[in-house]
Amino acid sequence: NTTRHWRVRRDAPGITIEEKVHLRAKVLELIREDSQQIAIQIALLIAKIARSDYPREWPELFTVLTQQLQGADGLATQRIYLVLHHILKELSTKRLVADQKNFSEITSQLFSPLYGQWLADTETLKTLEDAGSITSDHQTVAERWRFCLKALRRL
């Protein structure tokens, strides 16, 4: 259980800093999962870790995710937007002033790329609808469009 074991508590030693660094790196490598159900669980795990560790222990999280978007294929892009959606959903519920300030910084960093991708996918979907042809690649675009929209809604 991430919530129980990730943080050091009086009654439990938790996970060491070295283990956390290793686990964060490994879980980011798993983003491009083929199975939708497993991808959702990975996204939820990353979001729980981000709630605990961002920005103090994991300041490079959004930089790494935006770098992974560069040159990513359709499935990888869709999965990264799925992860972003769950991270933003988790971080948007934090109520401390410092956390809300961090969230506003994330918003300013992510809004333009998310909105640009959403617009591009909207145009692609409109073109595909006009042509009347739907393939699995187009379903990936539709899923990415949906996760971009969900992430934008959180911002």
Side-chain angles (χ1 to χ4, degrees), residues 49-136:
I49 293 171
R51 182 177 180 89
S52 174
D53 289 0
Y54 181 82
R56 289 179 307 279
E57 296 177 30
W58 203 7
E60 71 279 2
L61 171 63
F62 291 103
T63 305
V64 169
L65 289 174
T66 53
Q67 286 173 352
Q68 287 185 0
L69 282 173
Q70 310 299 321
D73 64 358
L75 179 64
T77 304
Q78 176 195 359
R79 299 300 192 226
I80 292 168
Y81 283 116
L82 170 69
V83 169
L84 281 172
H85 160 65
H86 285 288
I87 291 172
L88 292 172
K89 185 176 179 180
E90 191 71 35
L91 293 180
S92 70
T93 62
K94 294 178 92 174
R95 295 293 166 220
L96 294 177
V97 174
D99 293 327
Q100 289 179 346
K101 182 179 182 237
N102 287 332
F103 191 74
S104 94
E105 291 172 8
I106 295 166
T107 299
S108 64
Q109 178 184 359
L110 292 179
F111 182 78
S112 291
L114 278 171
Y115 185 67
Q117 183 66 55
W118 181 80
L119 281 177
D121 287 345
T122 301
E123 288 300 318
T124 302
L125 290 172
K126 184 179 175 192
T127 305
L128 294 172
E129 182 182 359
D130 293 342
S133 62
I134 301 293
T135 66
S136 64

